[in-house]
Amino acid sequence: MPSSELVMDNKNASSTAGKIIRCRAAISRIPGKPLVMEEIEVDPPKAGEVRIKILCTSLCHSDVTFWRSTQPPMAVFPRILGHEAVGVVESVGGGVEEVREGDLVLPVFQGDCGECRDCKSPKSNICSKFVNKDNQSMPRDGTNRFRDLKGEVIHNVLNVSSFTEYTVVDVTHVVKITPDIPLDIACLLSCGVSTGNYRTLVDVYIID
Protein backbone atom coordinates (compact mmCIF):
# COMPACT_ATOMS: atom_id res chain seq x y z
CA MET A 1 0.00 0.00 0.00
CA PRO A 2 1.41 3.46 -0.88
CA SER A 3 2.42 5.62 2.06
CA SER A 4 -0.23 8.19 1.10
CA GLU A 5 -2.96 5.55 1.58
CA LEU A 6 -1.48 4.50 4.92
CA VAL A 7 -1.62 8.11 6.09
CA MET A 8 -5.29 8.37 5.11
CA ASP A 9 -6.09 5.12 6.93
CA ASN A 10 -4.48 6.39 10.14
CA LYS A 11 -6.40 9.68 10.16
CA ASN A 12 -9.27 7.65 11.63
CA ALA A 13 -7.20 6.08 14.40
CA SER A 14 -8.06 8.62 17.12
CA SER A 15 -9.70 6.01 19.36
CA THR A 16 -6.33 5.28 20.99
CA ALA A 17 -5.42 8.92 21.71
CA GLY A 18 -4.78 9.53 25.39
CA LYS A 19 -4.76 5.82 26.18
CA ILE A 20 -2.06 3.24 26.87
CA ILE A 21 -1.39 1.15 23.77
CA ARG A 22 -0.38 -2.51 23.87
CA CYS A 23 1.79 -3.55 20.94
CA ARG A 24 4.69 -5.73 19.90
CA ALA A 25 8.34 -4.74 20.19
CA ALA A 26 11.73 -6.33 19.68
CA ILE A 27 13.47 -5.91 23.04
CA SER A 28 17.19 -6.15 23.72
CA ARG A 29 17.53 -7.61 27.20
CA ILE A 30 21.06 -9.05 27.22
CA PRO A 31 24.06 -7.55 25.39
CA GLY A 32 24.80 -9.38 22.17
CA LYS A 33 21.92 -11.81 22.55
CA PRO A 34 18.97 -12.13 20.12
CA LEU A 35 16.20 -9.57 20.48
CA VAL A 36 13.01 -10.87 22.07
CA MET A 37 9.59 -10.17 20.57
CA GLU A 38 7.29 -9.16 23.43
CA GLU A 39 4.05 -7.36 24.04
CA ILE A 40 4.65 -4.02 25.73
CA GLU A 41 2.69 -0.99 26.91
CA VAL A 42 3.32 2.43 25.40
CA ASP A 43 2.13 5.45 27.38
CA PRO A 44 0.34 8.42 25.77
CA PRO A 45 2.59 11.33 24.85
CA LYS A 46 3.18 14.02 27.45
CA ALA A 47 3.40 17.72 26.68
CA GLY A 48 5.76 18.34 23.77
CA GLU A 49 5.73 14.70 22.67
CA VAL A 50 4.35 12.70 19.74
CA ARG A 51 3.24 9.07 19.64
CA ILE A 52 4.03 7.46 16.30
CA LYS A 53 2.88 4.27 14.61
CA ILE A 54 6.03 2.89 12.99
CA LEU A 55 5.48 1.86 9.37
CA CYS A 56 9.01 1.02 8.30
CA THR A 57 12.36 0.85 10.08
CA SER A 58 15.92 -0.05 9.20
CA LEU A 59 18.96 -1.24 11.11
CA CYS A 60 21.98 1.02 11.51
CA HIS A 61 25.39 -0.04 12.74
CA SER A 62 24.95 2.29 15.70
CA ASP A 63 22.10 0.05 16.87
CA VAL A 64 24.47 -2.91 16.69
CA THR A 65 26.98 -0.95 18.79
CA PHE A 66 24.37 -0.30 21.51
CA TRP A 67 23.24 -3.95 21.32
CA ARG A 68 26.78 -5.23 21.88
CA SER A 69 27.71 -2.77 24.61
CA THR A 70 28.64 -4.22 27.98
CA GLN A 71 29.90 -1.08 29.74
CA PRO A 72 28.04 2.05 30.91
CA PRO A 73 26.82 4.48 29.78
CA MET A 74 25.81 2.66 26.59
CA ALA A 75 25.01 -0.66 28.24
CA VAL A 76 21.47 -0.01 29.48
CA PHE A 77 19.02 -2.91 29.32
CA PRO A 78 16.27 -3.77 28.62
CA ARG A 79 15.88 -1.33 25.78
CA ILE A 80 14.23 -0.92 22.38
CA LEU A 81 16.75 -0.23 19.65
CA GLY A 82 16.23 1.39 16.24
CA HIS A 83 16.52 5.01 15.14
CA GLU A 84 16.00 4.96 11.36
CA ALA A 85 12.28 4.91 10.69
CA VAL A 86 9.18 6.47 9.21
CA GLY A 87 5.72 6.45 10.73
CA VAL A 88 2.33 8.08 11.12
CA VAL A 89 1.42 10.38 14.01
CA GLU A 90 -1.12 8.53 16.18
CA SER A 91 -1.55 11.30 18.75
CA VAL A 92 0.20 14.35 20.16
CA GLY A 93 0.75 15.76 23.62
CA GLY A 94 -0.12 19.21 24.89
CA GLY A 95 1.40 22.18 23.10
CA VAL A 96 2.37 20.28 19.96
CA GLU A 97 1.48 22.30 16.85
CA GLU A 98 4.18 21.22 14.42
CA VAL A 99 2.47 17.95 13.48
CA ARG A 100 -0.97 16.43 13.91
CA GLU A 101 -2.66 13.05 13.86
CA GLY A 102 -2.25 11.32 10.49
CA ASP A 103 0.91 13.16 9.38
CA LEU A 104 3.71 11.08 7.89
CA VAL A 105 6.88 11.79 9.89
CA LEU A 106 10.48 10.86 10.43
CA PRO A 107 11.62 10.39 14.03
CA VAL A 108 15.23 11.64 14.11
CA PHE A 109 17.96 11.19 16.71
CA GLN A 110 19.18 14.80 16.52
CA GLY A 111 16.72 17.30 17.97
CA ASP A 112 15.98 20.82 16.74
CA CYS A 113 14.07 23.10 19.11
CA GLY A 114 14.26 26.02 16.68
CA GLU A 115 14.74 28.41 19.60
CA CYS A 116 18.24 28.09 21.07
CA ARG A 117 21.30 29.89 19.72
CA ASP A 118 22.69 26.75 18.13
CA CYS A 119 19.48 25.77 16.34
CA LYS A 120 19.16 29.31 14.95
CA SER A 121 22.79 29.44 13.89
CA PRO A 122 23.66 28.66 10.24
CA LYS A 123 26.87 27.05 11.52
CA SER A 124 25.41 24.47 13.92
CA ASN A 125 22.62 21.91 14.14
CA ILE A 126 23.38 20.57 17.62
CA CYS A 127 20.50 21.68 19.84
CA SER A 128 21.69 23.00 23.20
CA LYS A 129 18.24 23.36 24.77
CA PHE A 130 17.24 19.68 24.78
CA VAL A 131 20.39 17.70 25.40
CA ASN A 132 19.79 14.03 26.15
CA LYS A 133 23.13 12.73 27.30
CA ASP A 134 22.03 9.35 28.60
CA ASN A 135 20.40 8.09 25.36
CA GLN A 136 17.92 6.02 27.34
CA SER A 137 14.99 8.27 28.28
CA MET A 138 12.87 11.20 27.12
CA PRO A 139 14.83 14.46 26.81
CA ARG A 140 12.45 16.74 28.75
CA ASP A 141 11.86 14.84 31.97
CA GLY A 142 14.22 11.85 31.89
CA THR A 143 11.40 9.30 32.20
CA ASN A 144 10.33 6.51 29.84
CA ARG A 145 7.16 5.67 27.91
CA PHE A 146 7.75 1.91 27.51
CA ARG A 147 7.28 -0.96 29.95
CA ASP A 148 6.75 -4.69 29.70
CA LEU A 149 3.65 -6.47 30.95
CA LYS A 150 5.34 -7.02 34.33
CA GLY A 151 5.74 -3.29 34.78
CA GLU A 152 9.49 -3.16 34.15
CA VAL A 153 10.70 0.03 32.46
CA ILE A 154 12.12 -0.44 28.97
CA HIS A 155 14.67 2.17 27.96
CA ASN A 156 14.87 3.83 24.58
CA VAL A 157 17.81 4.62 22.34
CA LEU A 158 18.87 7.80 20.56
CA ASN A 159 15.53 9.51 21.26
CA VAL A 160 13.67 7.25 18.82
CA SER A 161 13.37 3.47 19.55
CA SER A 162 11.78 2.25 16.32
CA PHE A 163 11.88 -1.55 16.77
CA THR A 164 8.33 -1.37 18.07
CA GLU A 165 4.91 -0.88 16.53
CA TYR A 166 4.44 2.38 18.46
CA THR A 167 6.96 4.78 19.94
CA VAL A 168 6.89 8.16 21.70
CA VAL A 169 9.29 10.86 20.51
CA ASP A 170 9.82 14.46 21.56
CA VAL A 171 8.45 16.83 18.93
CA THR A 172 11.93 18.35 18.56
CA HIS A 173 12.94 14.96 17.11
CA VAL A 174 10.11 14.75 14.55
CA VAL A 175 10.14 15.93 10.93
CA LYS A 176 7.00 15.97 8.78
CA ILE A 177 7.50 14.67 5.23
CA THR A 178 5.44 14.30 2.07
CA PRO A 179 3.29 11.13 1.93
CA ASP A 180 4.41 10.54 -1.66
CA ILE A 181 7.82 9.13 -0.75
CA PRO A 182 8.12 5.30 -0.58
CA LEU A 183 8.43 4.03 2.98
CA ASP A 184 11.57 1.96 2.40
CA ILE A 185 13.34 5.08 1.16
CA ALA A 186 11.85 7.49 3.68
CA CYS A 187 13.09 5.52 6.68
CA LEU A 188 16.70 5.93 5.53
CA LEU A 189 16.46 9.73 5.60
CA SER A 190 16.42 9.90 9.40
CA CYS A 191 20.03 8.74 9.74
CA GLY A 192 21.82 6.92 6.92
CA VAL A 193 21.18 9.45 4.17
CA SER A 194 21.23 12.57 6.34
CA THR A 195 24.62 11.64 7.84
CA GLY A 196 26.04 10.32 4.56
CA ASN A 197 26.81 7.08 6.34
CA TYR A 198 25.40 4.67 3.75
CA ARG A 199 27.68 1.83 4.78
CA THR A 200 25.93 1.57 8.14
CA LEU A 201 22.67 0.46 6.54
CA VAL A 202 22.10 -3.25 7.08
CA ASP A 203 18.48 -4.00 6.23
CA VAL A 204 15.00 -2.52 5.90
CA TYR A 205 11.86 -3.86 7.54
CA ILE A 206 8.28 -3.02 6.68
CA ILE A 207 6.03 -3.26 9.75
CA ASP A 208 2.91 -5.24 8.83
Side-chain angles (χ1 to χ4, degrees):
M1 180 183 292
S3 57
S4 57
E5 293 183 28
L6 286 166
V7 171
M8 291 302 295
D9 284 349
N10 281 277
K11 284 184 180 294
N12 299 319
S14 60
S15 61
T16 53
K19 301 177 183 177
I20 294 173
I21 288 179
R22 281 195 177 188
C23 68
R24 295 175 301 164
I27 300 175
S28 178
R29 289 192 172 275
I30 302 174
K33 297 297 182 181
L35 307 186
V36 181
M37 290 299 301
E38 296 184 23
E39 189 174 20
I40 65 167
E41 292 185 336
V42 182
D43 286 337
K46 293 185 178 181
E49 298 175 355
V50 180
R51 189 160 61 183
I52 301 169
K53 179 180 180 180
I54 298 296
L55 301 178
C56 184
T57 186
S58 57
L59 178 65
C60 173
H61 194 271
S62 297
D63 296 309
V64 178
T65 300
F66 277 98
W67 170 68
R68 289 175 173 168
S69 297
T70 58
Q71 299 295 325
M74 295 183 69
V76 179
F77 300 91
R79 78 189 320 166
I80 297 175
L81 301 171
H83 63 281
E84 291 182 339
V86 61
V88 173
V89 174
E90 174 271 337
S91 60
V92 300
V96 173
E97 299 179 350
E98 295 85 347
V99 295
R100 62 180 181 177
E101 181 185 315
D103 284 345
L104 190 69
V105 296
L106 297 176
V108 294
F109 68 91
Q110 183 61 58
D112 184 351
C113 73
E115 300 174 352
C116 70
R117 181 181 65 180
D118 292 299
C119 284
K120 290 181 177 180
S121 171
K123 299 180 180 181
S124 172
N125 66 343
I126 307 297
C127 180
S128 54
K129 181 177 180 179
F130 295 109
V131 181
N132 188 348
K133 296 181 179 180
D134 63 8
N135 285 314
Q136 59 179 288
S137 57
M138 301 301 293
R140 293 178 192 260
D141 64 5
T143 61
N144 297 84
R145 305 293 173 264
F146 304 121
R147 59 182 171 274
D148 65 18
L149 297 189
K150 295 181 180 178
E152 181 180 13
V153 168
I154 304 171
H155 304 284
N156 68 10
V157 70
L158 293 174
N159 304 297
V160 176
S161 288
S162 60
F163 292 176
T164 171
E165 293 176 312
Y166 287 87
T167 189
V168 178
V169 180
D170 194 274
V171 70
T172 59
H173 293 267
V174 175
V175 178
K176 181 180 177 180
I177 63 173
T178 173
D180 300 323
I181 185 170
L183 298 178
D184 57 349
I185 294 176
C187 73
L188 304 181
L189 297 176
S190 58
C191 179
V193 173
S194 59
T195 60
N197 212 0
Y198 294 102
R199 290 183 299 173
T200 67
L201 302 179
V202 180
D203 211 340
V204 176
Y205 302 90
I206 300 290
I207 306 296
D208 187 359

